[in-house]
Amino acid sequence: MAKYDREADYRRPGKKLALLISIVAVAFSLFQLYTAVFGVLDAQLQRAVHLSFALLLVFLLYPGRRSWSRQTLHWLDAVLAVLAAGAPLYIVLFYKQIVLRAGELTAADLFIGVTGILLLLEAARRVVGWPIVTVAVLFIAYAFAGPWVPGLLAHQGVDLLHLVGHLFYTTEGVFGVPLGVSATFIFLFILFGAYLEKTGLGKFFIDLANAVAGWASGGPAKVAVLSSGLMGTVSGSSVANVAGTGSFTIPMMKSLGYRPEFAGAVEAAASTGGQLMPPIMGAAAFLMAEFIGVPYITVVKAAVIPAILYFTGIWIGVHLEAKKYGLKGIPRDRLPRVGRLLLEKGHLAIPLLAIVYLLIAGYTPMRAALWAILLTIVASCLRSNTRISWRDVLEGLENGARAALGVIIACATAGIIIGVVTKTGLGLKLATALIALAKGHLLPTLFFTMISSIVLGMGVPTTANYVITSTIAAPAIIQLGVPVLAAHLFAFYFGIVADVTPPVALAAYAGSGIARANPMRTGVNASRLAIAAFLIPYIFVLSPALLMIDTTWPEVLRMMLTSVTGMIGIGAAVAGYLFTRTALWERLLFFAGGLLLVDPHPLTDLIGLGLLLLATAAQYLRRRSATRA
């Protein structure tokens, strides 16, 4: 984990430092719970305290260099921890004076602002990685270099005083919407996830997936798909999902004959899909609702069918791979039984069901998360084998705060990017440039937006990924009349796909590390399995009914049926197998037919079904003749 995920490369210090970190982390969680129950502070104050806690913990937990000790605190990190925590607290202490100055900065304001931005970037380097830092630094450079930038992207330029004022002393930059959502909704959902982990829900998901699918052809691979999808409902990281479920599923797949590269790829593709799975979607669902200005449940509802199709595509690919190579499942007598499992641990899923109900019933995400945290603790006490102790409650507070650090720092750093965009008008300029490059046509614009989103999403965690892609890439297709929600989901999907797309395929590399496989081959295999993620965004942009926008339930059911049938065709084309190995012309028919069926229009459905029937009949007759021979 530490090799592929910066968030996992933290200190494991001695008792005194560990106690200090625990106290700060528990205090952080208690502050968030207090403001959630009794009311949040003014926006900038809430966000400043939130960021101050996070920066303090980052410098205490994450060494500045890989060569530094993971057991002791370096003196420089101690100094930086105090300075980093102090910079946002300056806003809290002098809030009234800063507001009354109305944007006029003193020398002290400028010094604190520059220090705060630099230390935020250093914290991002430590806990998130170089990609987002590089993007943020390039955007800051663009703000200064505006008059010298050629062509359409030129602007009048911003001086240091105005840029620092905009980025650090308003709610348009570091303390903007992403950090605001982190300081309210996201933190509580991460805390909810920490308590779910304490109750053993992750192990329950893996056991349940084993009981449901472990016996089937290619059982362990299907377990990986199912368990990663379930874990993805509450997980905030593709890489963490790979490590959490892959440590169980990848060795099982290898033991049954799966190639190491394919075993790692299955887990990587499935874990990446977890970030597309409602209700949390790697915490991006909350940001999306806030950015677009729609109810949170609208985002969740729109994301359901594409997420189901994504996992259906991986499941089909896994099944056909198993059939192609004759890979069997795990004997039933070695698997847990569904009934007994639900009886013993089924109550652990009550908080998940409750939070979905509360969100549908109209509760705010913050209130729903609060009730869900309480229900998690209560539900764990329903049986003695899952009951958590008071020590576990305190550890949950600590673990929740620590798990939130990457998201908080990523959101704050993404605020720098948004701040430069709003200050310079870069978003509109880039959208105009992309449309001009595509000569105003939708499909080429979608293609260029796809490439931009994949590049911008490389090595960036989910929340920051969404902020960057929605700010930079989505405006181009919105200008061409695409619904705002469809445009944001389009950019988000391709930003997430970067986790399995070489050369920077973090989830695939983490999977290859567990499988002891070639990282590049694992990434290629994961991209093949995730083929649905490359197709579905085009479909829901061209036909927003797939997102349940302006449609009816009969139409939704028809789309689901035809789309799943289409995914079978695409899966057969990619695997080169249905009943037997396919000829080239059969693969082409399967792919074309599947693509037409995924496109939810009656005429394309009819043509696509005809092509699939033709290819399927040819497969059936060839297998029958081979059997007779």
Side-chain angles (χ1 to χ4, degrees):
M1 277 291 289
K3 182 177 179 182
Y4 299 106
D5 186 5
R6 296 300 294 266
E7 289 183 55
D9 189 20
Y10 51 79
R11 286 189 176 94
R12 292 162 179 82
K15 288 184 179 179
K16 290 183 180 179
L17 180 56
L19 180 62
L20 173 63
I21 291 168
S22 297
I23 291 171
V24 174
V26 170
F28 188 11
S29 290
L30 289 175
F31 164 76
Q32 293 293 148
L33 288 170
Y34 177 84
T35 56
V37 173
F38 296 104
V40 297
L41 309 177
D42 287 348
Q44 202 160 3
L45 294 177
Q46 177 82 16
R47 298 168 192 182
V49 175
H50 183 72
L51 182 59
S52 180
F53 268 118
L55 287 170
L56 177 59
L57 283 170
V58 166
F59 284 100
L60 290 177
L61 276 167
Y62 294 90
R65 297 174 64 90
R66 288 191 181 273
S67 59
W68 287 0
S69 170
R70 298 301 187 269
Q71 283 74 47
T72 58
L73 181 65
H74 195 281
W75 68 268
L76 181 58
D77 282 346
V79 172
L80 294 180
V82 174
L83 290 174
L89 287 182
Y90 178 83
I91 294 173
V92 177
L93 294 173
F94 299 98
Y95 182 62
K96 192 173 182 179
Q97 295 93 315
I98 291 168
V99 170
L100 291 174
R101 285 201 291 269
E104 292 296 323
L105 300 192
T106 65
D109 294 341
L110 180 62
F111 175 77
I112 295 294
V114 171
T115 302
I117 291 169
L118 290 175
L119 288 174
L120 171 60
L121 292 172
E122 170 60 11
R125 180 190 71 82
R126 295 185 183 203
V127 75
V128 183
W130 275 109
I132 192 171
V133 176
T134 304
V135 173
V137 169
L138 287 174
F139 271 73
I140 292 171
Y142 171 76
F144 291 131
W148 299 280
V149 176
L152 186 65
L153 299 182
H155 63 92
Q156 64 183 8
V158 185
D159 61 44
L160 179 65
L161 196 69
H162 285 93
L163 184 64
V164 171
H166 185 72
L167 293 183
F168 202 76
Y169 292 101
T170 72
T171 54
E172 297 290 325
V174 170
F175 302 102
V177 171
L179 191 64
V181 177
S182 170
T184 51
F185 311 150
I186 292 176
F187 186 96
L188 291 178
F189 272 85
I190 292 173
L191 187 58
F192 170 50
Y195 276 113
L196 286 176
E197 186 178 339
K198 272 289 173 190
T199 65
L201 185 72
K203 180 68 165 59
F204 169 68
F205 278 158
I206 293 171
D207 289 342
L208 183 62
N210 261 309
V212 170
W215 54 270
S217 296
K222 290 175 179 174
V223 168
V225 176
L226 190 56
S227 59
S228 294
L230 291 170
M231 286 290 287
T233 59
V234 293
S235 170
S237 164
S238 302
V239 177
N241 205 348
V242 170
T245 57
S247 56
F248 292 95
T249 58
I250 290 174
M252 278 199 300
M253 282 187 268
K254 288 177 66 180
S255 71
L256 285 184
Y258 275 94
R259 292 171 288 121
E261 290 82 7
F262 192 82
V266 169
E267 185 57 56
S271 294
T272 298
Q275 306 304 288
L276 310 172
M277 176 64 75
I280 296 178
M281 298 165 63
F286 307 110
L287 287 169
M288 203 174 295
E290 199 75 16
F291 276 19
I292 299 173
V294 298
Y296 164 78
I297 200 66
T298 302
V299 175
V300 170
K301 186 175 73 172
V304 166
I305 294 178
I308 290 172
L309 290 178
Y310 177 88
F311 278 99
T312 300
I314 298 175
W315 186 282
I316 290 165
V318 161
H319 178 75
L320 293 176
E321 177 86 1
K323 287 292 186 183
K324 184 176 180 180
Y325 293 105
L327 303 174
K328 306 296 182 183
I330 303 168
R332 286 182 187 268
D333 59 4
R334 288 172 50 192
L335 296 172
R337 297 190 178 278
V338 175
R340 184 174 179 181
L341 197 59
L342 291 175
L343 189 64
E344 291 180 351
K345 295 186 177 180
H347 59 283
L348 296 178
I350 290 173
L352 272 181
L353 300 175
I355 202 168
V356 173
Y357 167 77
L358 291 170
L359 291 167
I360 292 172
Y363 282 68
T364 64
M366 184 184 291
R367 191 61 58 182
L370 275 173
W371 278 111
I373 291 168
L374 181 61
L375 272 172
T376 302
I377 297 170
V378 172
S380 75
C381 297
L382 293 177
R383 290 185 68 93
S384 59
N385 64 324
T386 60
R387 185 176 295 126
I388 61 176
S389 64
W390 284 109
R391 183 183 180 87
D392 291 326
V393 172
L394 284 174
E395 286 180 356
L397 292 172
E398 180 184 350
N399 294 344
R402 290 173 64 149
L405 295 179
V407 173
I408 297 166
I409 300 301
C411 284
T413 309
I416 294 174
I417 296 164
I418 293 177
V420 172
V421 168
T422 56
K423 191 71 174 174
T424 62
L426 178 62
L428 186 61
K429 295 174 190 291
L430 281 174
T432 305
L434 279 175
I435 293 170
L437 187 63
K439 302 191 184 300
H441 298 294
L442 180 58
L443 280 175
T445 305
L446 290 175
F447 177 77
F448 293 135
T449 305
M450 174 188 77
I451 299 300
S452 303
S453 297
I454 290 174
V455 172
L456 290 168
M458 286 180 175
V460 178
T462 306
T463 42
N465 185 323
Y466 166 68
V467 172
I468 295 169
T469 55
S470 64
T471 304
I472 305 303
I477 49 180
I478 292 173
Q479 279 196 33
L480 294 179
V482 173
V484 176
L485 181 53
H488 278 245
L489 277 172
F490 183 92
F492 176 58
Y493 256 66
F494 284 114
I496 291 299
V497 165
D499 277 352
V500 293
T501 308
V504 187
L506 291 184
Y509 289 177
S512 71
I514 297 171
R516 297 183 181 178
N518 180 285
M520 192 61 68
R521 289 178 186 169
T522 305
V524 171
N525 277 291
S527 299
R528 279 178 48 226
L529 284 169
I531 186 71
F534 290 91
L535 301 175
I536 293 166
Y538 284 92
I539 304 305
F540 64 59
V541 164
L542 298 172
S543 299
L546 200 65
L547 303 178
M548 292 194 266
I549 297 174
D550 299 327
T551 188
T552 60
W553 276 110
E555 181 67 11
V556 168
L557 291 173
R558 183 189 69 82
M559 284 191 303
M560 284 287 290
L561 182 62
T562 56
S563 295
V564 169
T565 307
M567 291 310 303
I568 294 172
I570 292 170
V574 172
Y577 186 93
L578 186 62
F579 299 129
T580 185
R581 292 178 184 269
T582 57
L584 177 60
W585 66 273
E586 290 171 341
R587 293 180 84 156
L588 293 174
L589 284 181
F590 276 129
F591 191 80
L595 205 57
L596 289 169
L597 274 164
V598 173
D599 186 358
H601 289 290
L603 181 59
T604 57
D605 286 348
L606 194 62
I607 298 170
L609 189 59
L611 293 176
L612 282 195
L613 287 173
L614 181 61
T616 302
Q619 279 272 291
Y620 176 74
L621 291 173
R622 280 208 299 120
R623 190 183 73 167
R624 189 175 176 185
S625 63
T627 305
R628 283 180 176 176

